[in-house]
PDB file of all heavy atoms in Angstrom:
ATOM      1  N   GLN N   1      48.471-180.645  52.758  1.00  0.00           N
ATOM      2  CA  GLN N   1      48.332-181.835  51.928  1.00  0.00           C
ATOM      3  C   GLN N   1      48.595-183.100  52.746  1.00  0.00           C
ATOM      4  O   GLN N   1      47.920-184.125  52.575  1.00  0.00           O
ATOM      5  CB  GLN N   1      49.309-181.761  50.748  1.00  0.00           C
ATOM      6  CG  GLN N   1      48.949-182.668  49.586  1.00  0.00           C
ATOM      7  CD  GLN N   1      49.769-182.357  48.355  1.00  0.00           C
ATOM      8  OE1 GLN N   1      50.742-181.626  48.409  1.00  0.00           O
ATOM      9  NE2 GLN N   1      49.372-182.931  47.228  1.00  0.00           N
ATOM     10  N   LEU N   2      49.565-183.020  53.652  1.00  0.00           N
ATOM     11  CA  LEU N   2      49.877-184.157  54.526  1.00  0.00           C
ATOM     12  C   LEU N   2      48.710-184.458  55.453  1.00  0.00           C
ATOM     13  O   LEU N   2      48.317-185.618  55.622  1.00  0.00           O
ATOM     14  CB  LEU N   2      51.133-183.834  55.344  1.00  0.00           C
ATOM     15  CG  LEU N   2      51.634-184.902  56.315  1.00  0.00           C
ATOM     16  CD1 LEU N   2      52.050-186.159  55.567  1.00  0.00           C
ATOM     17  CD2 LEU N   2      52.810-184.361  57.124  1.00  0.00           C
ATOM     18  N   PHE N   3      48.121-183.405  56.041  1.00  0.00           N
ATOM     19  CA  PHE N   3      46.979-183.592  56.928  1.00  0.00           C
ATOM     20  C   PHE N   3      45.786-184.178  56.170  1.00  0.00           C
ATOM     21  O   PHE N   3      45.143-185.124  56.630  1.00  0.00           O
ATOM     22  CB  PHE N   3      46.576-182.260  57.560  1.00  0.00           C
ATOM     23  CG  PHE N   3      45.313-182.336  58.374  1.00  0.00           C
ATOM     24  CD1 PHE N   3      45.337-182.839  59.669  1.00  0.00           C
ATOM     25  CD2 PHE N   3      44.101-181.929  57.837  1.00  0.00           C
ATOM     26  CE1 PHE N   3      44.160-182.927  60.417  1.00  0.00           C
ATOM     27  CE2 PHE N   3      42.925-182.007  58.581  1.00  0.00           C
ATOM     28  CZ  PHE N   3      42.961-182.513  59.870  1.00  0.00           C
ATOM     29  N   LYS N   4      45.513-183.628  55.001  1.00  0.00           N
ATOM     30  CA  LYS N   4      44.375-184.095  54.210  1.00  0.00           C
ATOM     31  C   LYS N   4      44.550-185.552  53.801  1.00  0.00           C
ATOM     32  O   LYS N   4      43.611-186.348  53.886  1.00  0.00           O
ATOM     33  CB  LYS N   4      44.214-183.208  52.976  1.00  0.00           C
ATOM     34  CG  LYS N   4      42.972-183.509  52.152  1.00  0.00           C
ATOM     35  CD  LYS N   4      42.754-182.428  51.083  1.00  0.00           C
ATOM     36  CE  LYS N   4      43.871-182.396  50.080  1.00  0.00           C
ATOM     37  NZ  LYS N   4      43.599-181.469  48.957  1.00  0.00           N
ATOM     38  N   ALA N   5      45.770-185.906  53.382  1.00  0.00           N
ATOM     39  CA  ALA N   5      46.022-187.279  52.935  1.00  0.00           C
ATOM     40  C   ALA N   5      45.885-188.272  54.089  1.00  0.00           C
ATOM     41  O   ALA N   5      45.224-189.304  53.955  1.00  0.00           O
ATOM     42  CB  ALA N   5      47.415-187.377  52.317  1.00  0.00           C
ATOM     43  N   THR N   6      46.493-187.962  55.238  1.00  0.00           N
ATOM     44  CA  THR N   6      46.426-188.882  56.376  1.00  0.00           C
ATOM     45  C   THR N   6      45.005-188.951  56.942  1.00  0.00           C
ATOM     46  O   THR N   6      44.556-190.021  57.363  1.00  0.00           O
ATOM     47  CB  THR N   6      47.409-188.452  57.483  1.00  0.00           C
ATOM     48  OG1 THR N   6      47.193-187.064  57.809  1.00  0.00           O
ATOM     49  CG2 THR N   6      48.846-188.641  57.039  1.00  0.00           C
ATOM     50  N   PHE N   7      44.281-187.831  56.923  1.00  0.00           N
ATOM     51  CA  PHE N   7      42.903-187.821  57.432  1.00  0.00           C
ATOM     52  C   PHE N   7      42.005-188.711  56.576  1.00  0.00           C
ATOM     53  O   PHE N   7      41.245-189.531  57.093  1.00  0.00           O
ATOM     54  CB  PHE N   7      42.368-186.386  57.436  1.00  0.00           C
ATOM     55  CG  PHE N   7      41.001-186.245  58.046  1.00  0.00           C
ATOM     56  CD1 PHE N   7      40.861-185.984  59.401  1.00  0.00           C
ATOM     57  CD2 PHE N   7      39.854-186.380  57.281  1.00  0.00           C
ATOM     58  CE1 PHE N   7      39.596-185.865  59.980  1.00  0.00           C
ATOM     59  CE2 PHE N   7      38.594-186.269  57.837  1.00  0.00           C
ATOM     60  CZ  PHE N   7      38.469-186.009  59.193  1.00  0.00           C
ATOM     61  N   LEU N   8      42.097-188.557  55.260  1.00  0.00           N
ATOM     62  CA  LEU N   8      41.250-189.345  54.363  1.00  0.00           C
ATOM     63  C   LEU N   8      41.610-190.825  54.403  1.00  0.00           C
ATOM     64  O   LEU N   8      40.739-191.696  54.391  1.00  0.00           O
ATOM     65  CB  LEU N   8      41.362-188.811  52.932  1.00  0.00           C
ATOM     66  CG  LEU N   8      40.756-187.423  52.689  1.00  0.00           C
ATOM     67  CD1 LEU N   8      41.045-186.943  51.270  1.00  0.00           C
ATOM     68  CD2 LEU N   8      39.253-187.440  52.952  1.00  0.00           C
ATOM     69  N   LEU N   9      42.916-191.118  54.454  1.00  0.00           N
ATOM     70  CA  LEU N   9      43.338-192.519  54.535  1.00  0.00           C
ATOM     71  C   LEU N   9      42.810-193.169  55.812  1.00  0.00           C
ATOM     72  O   LEU N   9      42.308-194.296  55.795  1.00  0.00           O
ATOM     73  CB  LEU N   9      44.866-192.610  54.499  1.00  0.00           C
ATOM     74  CG  LEU N   9      45.547-192.415  53.145  1.00  0.00           C
ATOM     75  CD1 LEU N   9      47.061-192.391  53.321  1.00  0.00           C
ATOM     76  CD2 LEU N   9      45.150-193.497  52.167  1.00  0.00           C
ATOM     77  N   SER N  10      42.929-192.450  56.930  1.00  0.00           N
ATOM     78  CA  SER N  10      42.470-192.999  58.204  1.00  0.00           C
ATOM     79  C   SER N  10      40.955-193.128  58.261  1.00  0.00           C
ATOM     80  O   SER N  10      40.430-194.080  58.841  1.00  0.00           O
ATOM     81  CB  SER N  10      42.966-192.101  59.348  1.00  0.00           C
ATOM     82  OG  SER N  10      42.602-192.626  60.597  1.00  0.00           O
ATOM     83  N   ALA N  11      40.256-192.172  57.621  1.00  0.00           N
ATOM     84  CA  ALA N  11      38.791-192.184  57.674  1.00  0.00           C
ATOM     85  C   ALA N  11      38.185-193.321  56.864  1.00  0.00           C
ATOM     86  O   ALA N  11      37.115-193.835  57.207  1.00  0.00           O
ATOM     87  CB  ALA N  11      38.252-190.845  57.172  1.00  0.00           C
ATOM     88  N   PHE N  12      38.848-193.746  55.799  1.00  0.00           N
ATOM     89  CA  PHE N  12      38.265-194.748  54.912  1.00  0.00           C
ATOM     90  C   PHE N  12      39.042-196.054  54.906  1.00  0.00           C
ATOM     91  O   PHE N  12      38.970-196.828  53.943  1.00  0.00           O
ATOM     92  CB  PHE N  12      38.168-194.191  53.492  1.00  0.00           C
ATOM     93  CG  PHE N  12      37.242-193.023  53.373  1.00  0.00           C
ATOM     94  CD1 PHE N  12      37.738-191.734  53.347  1.00  0.00           C
ATOM     95  CD2 PHE N  12      35.864-193.211  53.327  1.00  0.00           C
ATOM     96  CE1 PHE N  12      36.876-190.638  53.257  1.00  0.00           C
ATOM     97  CE2 PHE N  12      35.000-192.134  53.242  1.00  0.00           C
ATOM     98  CZ  PHE N  12      35.511-190.839  53.213  1.00  0.00           C
ATOM     99  N   THR N  13      39.791-196.303  55.974  1.00  0.00           N
ATOM    100  CA  THR N  13      40.548-197.545  56.087  1.00  0.00           C
ATOM    101  C   THR N  13      39.920-198.439  57.140  1.00  0.00           C
ATOM    102  O   THR N  13      39.743-198.024  58.285  1.00  0.00           O
ATOM    103  CB  THR N  13      42.016-197.256  56.465  1.00  0.00           C
ATOM    104  OG1 THR N  13      42.618-196.482  55.436  1.00  0.00           O
ATOM    105  CG2 THR N  13      42.784-198.556  56.608  1.00  0.00           C
ATOM    106  N   PHE N  14      39.584-199.653  56.749  1.00  0.00           N
ATOM    107  CA  PHE N  14      39.039-200.646  57.665  1.00  0.00           C
ATOM    108  C   PHE N  14      39.927-201.874  57.625  1.00  0.00           C
ATOM    109  O   PHE N  14      40.335-202.316  56.556  1.00  0.00           O
ATOM    110  CB  PHE N  14      37.605-201.026  57.278  1.00  0.00           C
ATOM    111  CG  PHE N  14      36.642-199.864  57.341  1.00  0.00           C
ATOM    112  CD1 PHE N  14      36.441-199.050  56.232  1.00  0.00           C
ATOM    113  CD2 PHE N  14      35.956-199.593  58.506  1.00  0.00           C
ATOM    114  CE1 PHE N  14      35.561-197.991  56.284  1.00  0.00           C
ATOM    115  CE2 PHE N  14      35.066-198.526  58.570  1.00  0.00           C
ATOM    116  CZ  PHE N  14      34.868-197.722  57.456  1.00  0.00           C
ATOM    117  N   GLY N  15      40.208-202.415  58.812  1.00  0.00           N
ATOM    118  CA  GLY N  15      41.011-203.635  58.843  1.00  0.00           C
ATOM    119  C   GLY N  15      42.332-203.500  59.549  1.00  0.00           C
ATOM    120  O   GLY N  15      43.118-204.442  59.588  1.00  0.00           O
ATOM    121  N   GLY N  16      42.631-202.335  60.103  1.00  0.00           N
ATOM    122  CA  GLY N  16      43.842-202.203  60.902  1.00  0.00           C
ATOM    123  C   GLY N  16      45.026-201.640  60.148  1.00  0.00           C
ATOM    124  O   GLY N  16      44.935-201.191  59.004  1.00  0.00           O
ATOM    125  N   GLY N  17      46.186-201.688  60.833  1.00  0.00           N
ATOM    126  CA  GLY N  17      47.390-201.033  60.337  1.00  0.00           C
ATOM    127  C   GLY N  17      47.935-201.600  59.056  1.00  0.00           C
ATOM    128  O   GLY N  17      48.487-200.863  58.229  1.00  0.00           O
ATOM    129  N   PHE N  18      47.817-202.909  58.853  1.00  0.00           N
ATOM    130  CA  PHE N  18      48.369-203.508  57.646  1.00  0.00           C
ATOM    131  C   PHE N  18      47.672-202.978  56.393  1.00  0.00           C
ATOM    132  O   PHE N  18      48.278-202.873  55.332  1.00  0.00           O
ATOM    133  CB  PHE N  18      48.245-205.031  57.706  1.00  0.00           C
ATOM    134  CG  PHE N  18      49.086-205.645  58.787  1.00  0.00           C
ATOM    135  CD1 PHE N  18      48.513-206.075  59.968  1.00  0.00           C
ATOM    136  CD2 PHE N  18      50.447-205.775  58.625  1.00  0.00           C
ATOM    137  CE1 PHE N  18      49.281-206.632  60.967  1.00  0.00           C
ATOM    138  CE2 PHE N  18      51.231-206.332  59.616  1.00  0.00           C
ATOM    139  CZ  PHE N  18      50.652-206.760  60.797  1.00  0.00           C
ATOM    140  N   VAL N  19      46.401-202.659  56.526  1.00  0.00           N
ATOM    141  CA  VAL N  19      45.655-202.121  55.383  1.00  0.00           C
ATOM    142  C   VAL N  19      46.115-200.707  55.061  1.00  0.00           C
ATOM    143  O   VAL N  19      46.347-200.357  53.897  1.00  0.00           O
ATOM    144  CB  VAL N  19      44.144-202.140  55.678  1.00  0.00           C
ATOM    145  CG1 VAL N  19      43.371-201.522  54.523  1.00  0.00           C
ATOM    146  CG2 VAL N  19      43.675-203.556  55.933  1.00  0.00           C
ATOM    147  N   ILE N  20      46.270-199.877  56.086  1.00  0.00           N
ATOM    148  CA  ILE N  20      46.633-198.482  55.845  1.00  0.00           C
ATOM    149  C   ILE N  20      48.054-198.360  55.291  1.00  0.00           C
ATOM    150  O   ILE N  20      48.363-197.419  54.559  1.00  0.00           O
ATOM    151  CB  ILE N  20      46.466-197.631  57.125  1.00  0.00           C
ATOM    152  CG1 ILE N  20      46.341-196.148  56.750  1.00  0.00           C
ATOM    153  CG2 ILE N  20      47.604-197.844  58.088  1.00  0.00           C
ATOM    154  CD1 ILE N  20      45.955-195.253  57.907  1.00  0.00           C
ATOM    155  N   VAL N  21      48.920-199.314  55.623  1.00  0.00           N
ATOM    156  CA  VAL N  21      50.275-199.286  55.066  1.00  0.00           C
ATOM    157  C   VAL N  21      50.229-199.420  53.548  1.00  0.00           C
ATOM    158  O   VAL N  21      50.926-198.712  52.818  1.00  0.00           O
ATOM    159  CB  VAL N  21      51.133-200.412  55.692  1.00  0.00           C
ATOM    160  CG1 VAL N  21      52.391-200.648  54.864  1.00  0.00           C
ATOM    161  CG2 VAL N  21      51.510-200.055  57.121  1.00  0.00           C
ATOM    162  N   SER N  22      49.389-200.315  53.062  1.00  0.00           N
ATOM    163  CA  SER N  22      49.240-200.486  51.617  1.00  0.00           C
ATOM    164  C   SER N  22      48.688-199.224  50.965  1.00  0.00           C
ATOM    165  O   SER N  22      49.159-198.793  49.906  1.00  0.00           O
ATOM    166  CB  SER N  22      48.317-201.666  51.328  1.00  0.00           C
ATOM    167  OG  SER N  22      48.075-201.802  49.946  1.00  0.00           O
ATOM    168  N   LEU N  23      47.695-198.611  51.611  1.00  0.00           N
ATOM    169  CA  LEU N  23      47.103-197.390  51.058  1.00  0.00           C
ATOM    170  C   LEU N  23      48.078-196.217  51.116  1.00  0.00           C
ATOM    171  O   LEU N  23      48.090-195.360  50.219  1.00  0.00           O
ATOM    172  CB  LEU N  23      45.817-197.051  51.820  1.00  0.00           C
ATOM    173  CG  LEU N  23      44.705-198.098  51.726  1.00  0.00           C
ATOM    174  CD1 LEU N  23      43.501-197.677  52.559  1.00  0.00           C
ATOM    175  CD2 LEU N  23      44.287-198.311  50.270  1.00  0.00           C
ATOM    176  N   MET N  24      48.901-196.166  52.166  1.00  0.00           N
ATOM    177  CA  MET N  24      49.930-195.128  52.249  1.00  0.00           C
ATOM    178  C   MET N  24      50.930-195.261  51.109  1.00  0.00           C
ATOM    179  O   MET N  24      51.381-194.263  50.531  1.00  0.00           O
ATOM    180  CB  MET N  24      50.672-195.236  53.587  1.00  0.00           C
ATOM    181  CG  MET N  24      49.968-194.574  54.749  1.00  0.00           C
ATOM    182  SD  MET N  24      50.957-194.672  56.269  1.00  0.00           S
ATOM    183  CE  MET N  24      50.049-193.513  57.309  1.00  0.00           C
ATOM    184  N   LYS N  25      51.289-196.503  50.804  1.00  0.00           N
ATOM    185  CA  LYS N  25      52.213-196.744  49.694  1.00  0.00           C
ATOM    186  C   LYS N  25      51.638-196.209  48.385  1.00  0.00           C
ATOM    187  O   LYS N  25      52.323-195.529  47.614  1.00  0.00           O
ATOM    188  CB  LYS N  25      52.502-198.237  49.576  1.00  0.00           C
ATOM    189  CG  LYS N  25      53.350-198.627  48.380  1.00  0.00           C
ATOM    190  CD  LYS N  25      53.598-200.117  48.373  1.00  0.00           C
ATOM    191  CE  LYS N  25      54.315-200.538  47.110  1.00  0.00           C
ATOM    192  NZ  LYS N  25      53.506-200.361  45.892  1.00  0.00           N
ATOM    193  N   LYS N  26      50.379-196.499  48.135  1.00  0.00           N
ATOM    194  CA  LYS N  26      49.756-196.025  46.897  1.00  0.00           C
ATOM    195  C   LYS N  26      49.661-194.496  46.860  1.00  0.00           C
ATOM    196  O   LYS N  26      49.828-193.881  45.810  1.00  0.00           O
ATOM    197  CB  LYS N  26      48.369-196.648  46.747  1.00  0.00           C
ATOM    198  CG  LYS N  26      48.386-198.132  46.406  1.00  0.00           C
ATOM    199  CD  LYS N  26      46.984-198.697  46.288  1.00  0.00           C
ATOM    200  CE  LYS N  26      47.010-200.121  45.754  1.00  0.00           C
ATOM    201  NZ  LYS N  26      47.767-201.046  46.599  1.00  0.00           N
ATOM    202  N   LYS N  27      49.389-193.890  48.030  1.00  0.00           N
ATOM    203  CA  LYS N  27      49.212-192.442  48.092  1.00  0.00           C
ATOM    204  C   LYS N  27      50.536-191.699  48.009  1.00  0.00           C
ATOM    205  O   LYS N  27      50.707-190.798  47.173  1.00  0.00           O
ATOM    206  CB  LYS N  27      48.489-192.074  49.397  1.00  0.00           C
ATOM    207  CG  LYS N  27      48.165-190.593  49.536  1.00  0.00           C
ATOM    208  CD  LYS N  27      47.108-190.170  48.552  1.00  0.00           C
ATOM    209  CE  LYS N  27      46.721-188.711  48.742  1.00  0.00           C
ATOM    210  NZ  LYS N  27      45.697-188.288  47.774  1.00  0.00           N
ATOM    211  N   PHE N  28      51.485-192.061  48.866  1.00  0.00           N
ATOM    212  CA  PHE N  28      52.703-191.269  49.006  1.00  0.00           C
ATOM    213  C   PHE N  28      53.820-191.689  48.064  1.00  0.00           C
ATOM    214  O   PHE N  28      54.715-190.892  47.795  1.00  0.00           O
ATOM    215  CB  PHE N  28      53.197-191.334  50.454  1.00  0.00           C
ATOM    216  CG  PHE N  28      52.229-190.755  51.447  1.00  0.00           C
ATOM    217  CD1 PHE N  28      51.624-191.554  52.399  1.00  0.00           C
ATOM    218  CD2 PHE N  28      51.906-189.409  51.416  1.00  0.00           C
ATOM    219  CE1 PHE N  28      50.725-191.028  53.304  1.00  0.00           C
ATOM    220  CE2 PHE N  28      51.012-188.868  52.317  1.00  0.00           C
ATOM    221  CZ  PHE N  28      50.413-189.672  53.254  1.00  0.00           C
ATOM    222  N   VAL N  29      53.764-192.918  47.567  1.00  0.00           N
ATOM    223  CA  VAL N  29      54.800-193.381  46.638  1.00  0.00           C
ATOM    224  C   VAL N  29      54.336-193.230  45.192  1.00  0.00           C
ATOM    225  O   VAL N  29      55.011-192.622  44.364  1.00  0.00           O
ATOM    226  CB  VAL N  29      55.187-194.848  46.928  1.00  0.00           C
ATOM    227  CG1 VAL N  29      56.186-195.362  45.895  1.00  0.00           C
ATOM    228  CG2 VAL N  29      55.769-194.970  48.332  1.00  0.00           C
ATOM    229  N   GLU N  30      53.159-193.785  44.888  1.00  0.00           N
ATOM    230  CA  GLU N  30      52.714-193.826  43.503  1.00  0.00           C
ATOM    231  C   GLU N  30      52.017-192.540  43.056  1.00  0.00           C
ATOM    232  O   GLU N  30      52.196-192.102  41.925  1.00  0.00           O
ATOM    233  CB  GLU N  30      51.771-195.024  43.315  1.00  0.00           C
ATOM    234  CG  GLU N  30      52.442-196.360  43.612  1.00  0.00           C
ATOM    235  CD  GLU N  30      51.471-197.521  43.568  1.00  0.00           C
ATOM    236  OE1 GLU N  30      50.310-197.309  43.145  1.00  0.00           O
ATOM    237  OE2 GLU N  30      51.856-198.646  43.961  1.00  0.00           O
ATOM    238  N   GLU N  31      51.222-191.938  43.948  1.00  0.00           N
ATOM    239  CA  GLU N  31      50.456-190.759  43.549  1.00  0.00           C
ATOM    240  C   GLU N  31      51.210-189.450  43.792  1.00  0.00           C
ATOM    241  O   GLU N  31      51.467-188.681  42.860  1.00  0.00           O
ATOM    242  CB  GLU N  31      49.128-190.732  44.302  1.00  0.00           C
ATOM    243  CG  GLU N  31      48.202-189.600  43.876  1.00  0.00           C
ATOM    244  CD  GLU N  31      46.881-189.628  44.610  1.00  0.00           C
ATOM    245  OE1 GLU N  31      46.443-190.731  45.017  1.00  0.00           O
ATOM    246  OE2 GLU N  31      46.278-188.546  44.792  1.00  0.00           O
ATOM    247  N   LEU N  32      51.600-189.188  45.046  1.00  0.00           N
ATOM    248  CA  LEU N  32      52.280-187.931  45.378  1.00  0.00           C
ATOM    249  C   LEU N  32      53.775-187.972  45.087  1.00  0.00           C
ATOM    250  O   LEU N  32      54.418-186.926  44.968  1.00  0.00           O
ATOM    251  CB  LEU N  32      52.050-187.599  46.856  1.00  0.00           C
ATOM    252  CG  LEU N  32      50.611-187.313  47.272  1.00  0.00           C
ATOM    253  CD1 LEU N  32      50.517-187.081  48.774  1.00  0.00           C
ATOM    254  CD2 LEU N  32      50.051-186.106  46.516  1.00  0.00           C
ATOM    255  N   LYS N  33      54.353-189.186  45.041  1.00  0.00           N
ATOM    256  CA  LYS N  33      55.780-189.379  44.759  1.00  0.00           C
ATOM    257  C   LYS N  33      56.655-188.646  45.786  1.00  0.00           C
ATOM    258  O   LYS N  33      57.703-188.097  45.454  1.00  0.00           O
ATOM    259  CB  LYS N  33      56.124-188.923  43.331  1.00  0.00           C
ATOM    260  CG  LYS N  33      55.361-189.679  42.262  1.00  0.00           C
ATOM    261  CD  LYS N  33      55.841-189.357  40.877  1.00  0.00           C
ATOM    262  CE  LYS N  33      54.984-190.030  39.816  1.00  0.00           C
ATOM    263  NZ  LYS N  33      54.957-191.503  39.959  1.00  0.00           N
ATOM    264  N   TRP N  34      56.225-188.648  47.034  1.00  0.00           N
ATOM    265  CA  TRP N  34      57.020-188.057  48.110  1.00  0.00           C
ATOM    266  C   TRP N  34      58.118-189.004  48.561  1.00  0.00           C
ATOM    267  O   TRP N  34      59.148-188.577  49.056  1.00  0.00           O
ATOM    268  CB  TRP N  34      56.122-187.720  49.306  1.00  0.00           C
ATOM    269  CG  TRP N  34      55.278-186.497  49.095  1.00  0.00           C
ATOM    270  CD1 TRP N  34      55.307-185.664  48.022  1.00  0.00           C
ATOM    271  CD2 TRP N  34      54.278-185.966  49.979  1.00  0.00           C
ATOM    272  NE1 TRP N  34      54.385-184.650  48.177  1.00  0.00           N
ATOM    273  CE2 TRP N  34      53.748-184.806  49.368  1.00  0.00           C
ATOM    274  CE3 TRP N  34      53.795-186.366  51.217  1.00  0.00           C
ATOM    275  CZ2 TRP N  34      52.751-184.044  49.963  1.00  0.00           C
ATOM    276  CZ3 TRP N  34      52.798-185.605  51.813  1.00  0.00           C
ATOM    277  CH2 TRP N  34      52.288-184.453  51.192  1.00  0.00           C
ATOM    278  N   LEU N  35      57.885-190.296  48.411  1.00  0.00           N
ATOM    279  CA  LEU N  35      58.823-191.317  48.858  1.00  0.00           C
ATOM    280  C   LEU N  35      59.064-192.307  47.731  1.00  0.00           C
ATOM    281  O   LEU N  35      58.234-192.433  46.824  1.00  0.00           O
ATOM    282  CB  LEU N  35      58.280-192.069  50.075  1.00  0.00           C
ATOM    283  CG  LEU N  35      57.853-191.250  51.307  1.00  0.00           C
ATOM    284  CD1 LEU N  35      57.098-192.153  52.270  1.00  0.00           C
ATOM    285  CD2 LEU N  35      59.044-190.635  51.988  1.00  0.00           C
ATOM    286  N   ASP N  36      60.208-193.003  47.800  1.00  0.00           N
ATOM    287  CA  ASP N  36      60.372-194.134  46.882  1.00  0.00           C
ATOM    288  C   ASP N  36      59.962-195.411  47.608  1.00  0.00           C
ATOM    289  O   ASP N  36      59.694-195.407  48.814  1.00  0.00           O
ATOM    290  CB  ASP N  36      61.804-194.222  46.346  1.00  0.00           C
ATOM    291  CG  ASP N  36      62.835-194.351  47.457  1.00  0.00           C
ATOM    292  OD1 ASP N  36      62.531-194.993  48.484  1.00  0.00           O
ATOM    293  OD2 ASP N  36      63.944-193.801  47.318  1.00  0.00           O
ATOM    294  N   GLU N  37      59.903-196.487  46.878  1.00  0.00           N
ATOM    295  CA  GLU N  37      59.345-197.727  47.425  1.00  0.00           C
ATOM    296  C   GLU N  37      60.196-198.278  48.565  1.00  0.00           C
ATOM    297  O   GLU N  37      59.664-198.821  49.540  1.00  0.00           O
ATOM    298  CB  GLU N  37      59.205-198.771  46.315  1.00  0.00           C
ATOM    299  CG  GLU N  37      58.337-199.948  46.710  1.00  0.00           C
ATOM    300  CD  GLU N  37      57.850-200.739  45.505  1.00  0.00           C
ATOM    301  OE1 GLU N  37      57.917-200.220  44.383  1.00  0.00           O
ATOM    302  OE2 GLU N  37      57.399-201.874  45.722  1.00  0.00           O
ATOM    303  N   SER N  38      61.519-198.132  48.455  1.00  0.00           N
ATOM    304  CA  SER N  38      62.388-198.651  49.512  1.00  0.00           C
ATOM    305  C   SER N  38      62.185-197.877  50.814  1.00  0.00           C
ATOM    306  O   SER N  38      62.209-198.470  51.901  1.00  0.00           O
ATOM    307  CB  SER N  38      63.854-198.571  49.078  1.00  0.00           C
ATOM    308  OG  SER N  38      64.239-197.218  48.857  1.00  0.00           O
ATOM    309  N   GLU N  39      61.980-196.552  50.726  1.00  0.00           N
ATOM    310  CA  GLU N  39      61.717-195.759  51.928  1.00  0.00           C
ATOM    311  C   GLU N  39      60.412-196.183  52.588  1.00  0.00           C
ATOM    312  O   GLU N  39      60.320-196.291  53.818  1.00  0.00           O
ATOM    313  CB  GLU N  39      61.655-194.269  51.581  1.00  0.00           C
ATOM    314  CG  GLU N  39      62.999-193.595  51.384  1.00  0.00           C
ATOM    315  CD  GLU N  39      62.845-192.109  51.116  1.00  0.00           C
ATOM    316  OE1 GLU N  39      62.239-191.753  50.089  1.00  0.00           O
ATOM    317  OE2 GLU N  39      63.327-191.302  51.923  1.00  0.00           O
ATOM    318  N   MET N  40      59.380-196.402  51.772  1.00  0.00           N
ATOM    319  CA  MET N  40      58.095-196.815  52.308  1.00  0.00           C
ATOM    320  C   MET N  40      58.199-198.183  52.961  1.00  0.00           C
ATOM    321  O   MET N  40      57.558-198.449  53.986  1.00  0.00           O
ATOM    322  CB  MET N  40      57.047-196.840  51.188  1.00  0.00           C
ATOM    323  CG  MET N  40      55.617-196.930  51.693  1.00  0.00           C
ATOM    324  SD  MET N  40      55.096-195.494  52.640  1.00  0.00           S
ATOM    325  CE  MET N  40      54.289-196.265  54.027  1.00  0.00           C
ATOM    326  N   LEU N  41      59.015-199.043  52.390  1.00  0.00           N
ATOM    327  CA  LEU N  41      59.221-200.374  52.974  1.00  0.00           C
ATOM    328  C   LEU N  41      59.903-200.253  54.332  1.00  0.00           C
ATOM    329  O   LEU N  41      59.525-200.940  55.290  1.00  0.00           O
ATOM    330  CB  LEU N  41      60.060-201.238  52.032  1.00  0.00           C
ATOM    331  CG  LEU N  41      60.308-202.688  52.462  1.00  0.00           C
ATOM    332  CD1 LEU N  41      58.994-203.438  52.564  1.00  0.00           C
ATOM    333  CD2 LEU N  41      61.251-203.374  51.491  1.00  0.00           C
TER     334      LEU N  41
END
């Protein structure tokens, strides 16, 4: 699941690291709930 999530995020992210950080937050905090918001920050 970790590989699939990071692969898809990286494949469909344009604009550099700042963009993928936002998408990681939505994926791992809001959707998968692996992390809380303070950890992601």
